[in-house]
């Protein structure tokens, strides 16, 4: 089931038709109120979320999705007429999994939906508690602590830290990080990686020094 939150009736009808033709079930909501009411009784596989909505906007809705215990791991693709780099980074930094700028083709939309769902398989079980230095990452609970202090990370920040902690001392170039964290369909540039690594370091405090820049290449998490 895919939830589509879009106030433009024509756009939502076309999107729903394209997704249903591709084999997905779809429910459409014109505002955040109706969406959250449905979310109480049904959890979708993915959410298509427009930024410009009447009443509560998509950014506010995304924050609530990521803050909810039962919804924080649901993949979200943002859709909007805005197309500046700031808008993209803002949505991705808050935990969106991908970003579509209107007008976009229906085949592209279906392709992006499938790509995100491939990266977040339904029912995938998290297994480990990772420890490096003062940082602990609990995959089952999706919680990160530093010296016992719980950190509020966005989905992308969490995914970056998880990748680094599972591959200590390995150097990742920015293109690889884009492919692994944002998927190969993401159309942004490597500055997005730098922005997210910077905010992750800041939230980790002193422990953020473990994430080192490898000049001319990318980043690695050092254990010594």
């Amino acid at each position: 089931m895919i939830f589509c939150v879009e106030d433009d009736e024509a756009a939502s009808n076309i999107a729903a038709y394209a997704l249903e033709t591709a084999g997905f079930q779809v429910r459409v909501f014109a505002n955040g109120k109706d969406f959250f009411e449905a979310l109480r009784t049904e959890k979708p596989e993915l959410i298509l979320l427009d930024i410009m909505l009447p009443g509560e906007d998509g950014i506010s809705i995304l924050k609530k999705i990521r803050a909810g215990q039962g919804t924080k791991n649901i993949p979200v693709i943002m859709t909007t007429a805005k197309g500046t780099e700031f808008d993209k980074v803002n949505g991705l930094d808050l935990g969106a999994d991908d970003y579509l700028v209107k007008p976009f083709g229906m085949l592209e939309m279906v392709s992006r939906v499938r790509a995100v769902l491939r990266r977040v398989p339904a029912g995938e079980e998290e297994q480990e508690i990772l420890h490096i230095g003062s940082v602990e990452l609990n995959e089952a609970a999706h919680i990160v602590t530093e010296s016992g202090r719980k950190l509020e990370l966005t989905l992308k920040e969490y995914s970056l830290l998880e990748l680094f902690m599972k591959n200590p001392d390995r150097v990742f170039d920015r293109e690889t990080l884009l492919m692994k964290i944002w998927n190969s369909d993401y159309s942004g540039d490597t500055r997005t990686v730098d922005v997210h690594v910077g905010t992750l370091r800041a939230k980790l405090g002193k422990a953020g020094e473990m994430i080192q820049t490898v000049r001319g290449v990318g980043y690695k998490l050092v254990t010594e």
Side-chain angles (χ1 to χ4, degrees), residues 29 53 126 189:
F29 308 93
L53 292 168
E126 321 249 15
D189 58 37

Side-chain angles (χ1 to χ4, degrees), residues 200-221:
L200 174 59
R201 281 171 167 163
K203 290 181 180 180
L204 288 170
K206 184 71 174 175
E209 295 175 5
M210 294 192 301
I211 302 175
Q212 295 186 356
T213 302
V214 180
R215 187 177 296 276
V217 183
Y219 299 97
K220 68 175 180 178
L221 187 147

Side-chain angles (χ1 to χ4, degrees), residues 1 3 5 27-29 31-44 71:
M1 175 64 71
F3 281 7
V5 190
R27 292 183 65 183
V28 175
F29 308 93
N31 54 66
K33 181 176 178 295
D34 292 342
F35 164 72
F36 281 116
E37 184 154 338
L39 206 56
R40 292 194 192 106
T41 57
E42 183 175 15
K43 297 298 185 292
T71 60

Side-chain angles (χ1 to χ4, degrees), residues 6 67 107-108 116 120 166 168 172 180 188 199-200 212-213:
E6 167 65 71
L107 290 178
E108 179 189 7
V116 170
V120 190
K166 285 186 173 180
F172 288 95
K180 286 183 174 291
T199 58
L200 174 59
Q212 295 186 356
T213 302

Side-chain angles (χ1 to χ4, degrees), residues 20-160:
E20 287 168 352
T21 300
F24 296 101
Q25 292 182 300
V26 184
R27 292 183 65 183
V28 175
F29 308 93
N31 54 66
K33 181 176 178 295
D34 292 342
F35 164 72
F36 281 116
E37 184 154 338
L39 206 56
R40 292 194 192 106
T41 57
E42 183 175 15
K43 297 298 185 292
E45 296 175 77
L46 181 142
I47 299 165
L48 278 170
L49 177 61
D50 189 28
I51 287 183
M52 304 300 289
L53 292 168
E56 187 170 18
D57 64 31
I59 293 295
S60 174
I61 291 172
L62 177 62
K63 289 179 181 178
K64 290 182 179 178
I65 291 169
R66 290 294 173 243
Q69 188 61 35
T71 60
K72 62 185 179 183
N73 293 325
I74 299 174
V76 177
I77 298 178
M78 304 297 290
T79 68
T80 181
K82 293 184 177 181
T84 67
E85 183 181 3
F86 172 79
D87 294 318
K88 291 182 180 181
V89 171
N90 193 28
L92 293 167
D93 189 46
L94 289 169
D97 293 88
D98 205 348
Y99 195 102
L100 282 166
V101 178
K102 298 176 182 177
F104 50 82
M106 292 300 105
L107 290 178
E108 179 189 7
M109 178 196 66
V110 171
S111 175
R112 295 288 189 93
V113 166
R114 285 176 169 156
V116 170
L117 288 175
R118 281 197 301 270
R119 290 188 294 116
V120 190
E124 182 179 87
E125 294 185 5
E126 321 249 15
Q127 303 175 10
E128 302 179 64
I129 295 180
L130 306 175
H131 293 270
I132 294 183
S134 60
V135 179
E136 176 181 292
L137 186 150
N138 186 324
E139 290 187 284
H142 205 85
I143 291 173
V144 175
T145 59
E146 192 281 315
S147 299
R149 172 178 61 99
K150 183 179 177 181
L151 305 182
E152 296 298 328
L153 302 183
T154 68
L155 187 61
K156 297 304 183 190
E157 291 165 352
Y158 177 94
S159 298
L160 277 170

